Amino acid sequence: MTPPLVPLPVVLPLLGAALTLILAHRPGLQRSVSVVGLTTTLAVAVALLVQAYRHGPVVVQVGGWPAPVGIVLVADQLAALMLVVSSAVTLCVLLYSIGQGRGEIGETAPVSIFHPTYLVLTAGVTNAFLAGDLFNLFVGFEILLAASFVLITLGGTETRIRTGSTYVVVSILSSMIFLAAVGLVYAATGTLNMAQLAGRLDGLPDGVRLSLQLMLLLAFGIKAAVFPVSAWLPDSYPTAPAPVTAVFAGLLTKVGVYAIIRTETLLFPGGEADRLLLVVAGLTMLVGILGAVAQSDMKRLFSFTLVSHIGYMIFGVALSSVAGLSGAIFYVVHHITIQTTLFLVAGLVEERAGSTDLRRLGGLARVAPLLAVLFFVPAMNLAGIPPLSGFLGKLGLLQAGVAAGGVLPGVLVAAGAVTSLLTLYVASRVWNIAFWRAPRLATAEPTVRLPALMTGATTALVALGVALTLAAGPLFQVTADAASDLRARTPYVRAVFPGGVP
Amino acid sequence: MRGGAGPTLVLVVAVGVLVATGVTLLLERSLTRILLGVILLGNGVNLLILLGGRSGAAPLVGLAPAGQTSDALPQAMVLTAVVITFGLTAFVLAVAYRSWYLSGDDEVQDDLEDRQIVRLAERNEVPTADLGGEGPDNDPEQVDPGPALRRLRRGDRR
């Protein structure tokens, strides 16, 4: 009943960014503006999810221009669910970074730039989720990329510039591919509105449609760090400040996955690329986790598990069944929360022990018991130990794979199981080395208590991960509902064009 | 100037040349050349978008009959894309300058992992398989956990 809610998740963070930029010299006020902005965004996102679940997709025509001419923002169940999780995670990471800023002053870069950029990043992410228009999706990507460039090179030290330049060039390249694909889609169909495209793309010759699909998948695949184009991620993420790495790991790759889900369901539902996606998904899982096995630094190790588990989501999408898609969406929600938590914990370890290098760590379980608990729960969750949400997500995906039948899905089910076991090996290896063996810390400084806000924010995220387990039943209902809507396509198209597609 | 059949071949070739030179430059190590590559590639893609729309008279009501105006939407998209490319170019320029300022050149170095692997390959060694490697003999926990713990708590491990 209140469609004006839809633009708020984009507008509020942008407004907050402007305000925090003005308030650059008043850190206290700046912090409260950011927190209030993101809290309101979270509340709006929850309201949108309830609305989308009860009454179907909520659509706003920006500026009052009707759909094919103007830009539309669409919050269907998938978009609203992504909004809720992403704003919850960004809020927690913001609180964590505020805690960190208080703990140590000086080293952690100019705070005055951090808040506006962080809010712009949030606006880019929410815009990408809500975009009902291919070009608007591109703009959303660019907003979040531009902000992420600033965040990843924060402070401008030599390492960050080195790794940042790789990240920047790869991101720009993927944007160019995306932009070229957008131009070609327009040339072929004469529209960029996704609801209208859904009909018009079906009418194209097979070859044209397939090449457009592959081009979009390549662009989104780079952003989502899918195997043959994932090598940029483990090198560029770990050097950024802990909260930045955490929010990147949680959200940015998932925006790519979200875009792949949209492309594969709304725009190209025929499943022509399914076999390719299945192969790529399997390779992403195995190559990623084998990379993680070889790592000796916690942050790099988690970057590799991040790449590896993107494979599960692509697997679910490639099955192109309601069950697979539902499992993939559930897995995205689970993985955003868990991966962010693990990077925040790695930040806490660095703060407490002076390093995240496993060769220089040991016995943290005795020195910092709370930290050990905060690591143990999400690590086991990631590995998929029952009854945690990681187990439920993997189980859902593997069941969908078995139900699909055939050789390739069968191989993928086996690869998924092996990846899960290797993840458990990696997680327990970190646990054994960093937390269990004889105490050794990289820093000689006397114990400082970790700032309460940092541990508090991490605890909140761990609790959110556990809550996902407890609420898995209703959540699976929402994702299954979202998946069947996506497969049907009509709810989305009808919401954008109530009077029929022009 | 152009017929109704589609864009002229000259523009299509121009897109091809711009993209090809852009991609070639992107493969370089020096950030300045990468920057030039980004500019060329960006312009090539923008031109490609422009080719996607119908050509004709300026898209203003009253200047030409409704069917003979050009398509305004690709032009609007290109304006947005040009601004975005410009912003990204400026950022790459800033990174290149910062890199030169810090290290004296603007070459992108190999990543950490690559360098480690190359070093191991030169010495023909295998990487340490498991970093946990301490047997029961040198594990102080199994001998006498007490003193280590007390020393650590007081924070005077020196």
Side-chain angles (χ1 to χ4, degrees), chain A residues 156 186 235 366 437-438 440, chain B residues 71 98 111 134 141 149:
Chain A
Y186 184 79
D235 191 46
R366 189 181 292 164
R437 66 176 175 176
R440 74 172 75 157
Chain B
D71 191 347
R98 181 74 188 170
D111 79 46
E134 45 180 34
E141 274 183 79
L149 184 60

Side-chain angles (χ1 to χ4, degrees), chain A residues 323-459:
Chain A
L325 213 49
S326 159
I329 299 172
F330 183 87
Y331 207 85
V332 172
V333 172
H334 147 79
H335 200 247
I336 289 180
T337 322
I338 295 308
Q339 199 68 51
T340 312
T341 318
L342 283 173
F343 273 106
L344 288 186
V345 172
L348 286 178
V349 168
E350 191 167 29
E351 196 95 338
R352 178 64 186 79
S355 171
T356 53
D357 193 337
L358 291 178
R359 283 164 291 202
R360 308 174 67 193
L361 291 177
L364 279 172
R366 189 181 292 164
V367 182
L370 176 62
L371 189 57
V373 174
L374 289 181
F375 170 80
F376 190 74
V377 176
M380 289 302 116
N381 203 339
L382 184 76
I385 295 294
L388 294 165
S389 60
F391 168 71
L392 299 172
K394 288 183 184 74
L395 188 67
L397 283 171
L398 298 188
Q399 274 175 346
V402 171
V407 178
L408 202 52
V411 173
L412 261 285
V413 168
V418 170
T419 308
S420 177
L421 281 176
L422 283 175
T423 311
L424 180 60
Y425 166 67
V426 167
S428 35
R429 188 165 145 263
V430 175
W431 171 259
N432 281 345
I433 296 175
F435 290 88
W436 205 242
R437 66 176 175 176
R440 74 172 75 157
L441 301 179
T443 166
E445 288 164 19
T447 316
V448 253
R449 279 186 62 83
L450 289 170
L453 205 48
M454 282 173 85
T455 44
T458 317
T459 315

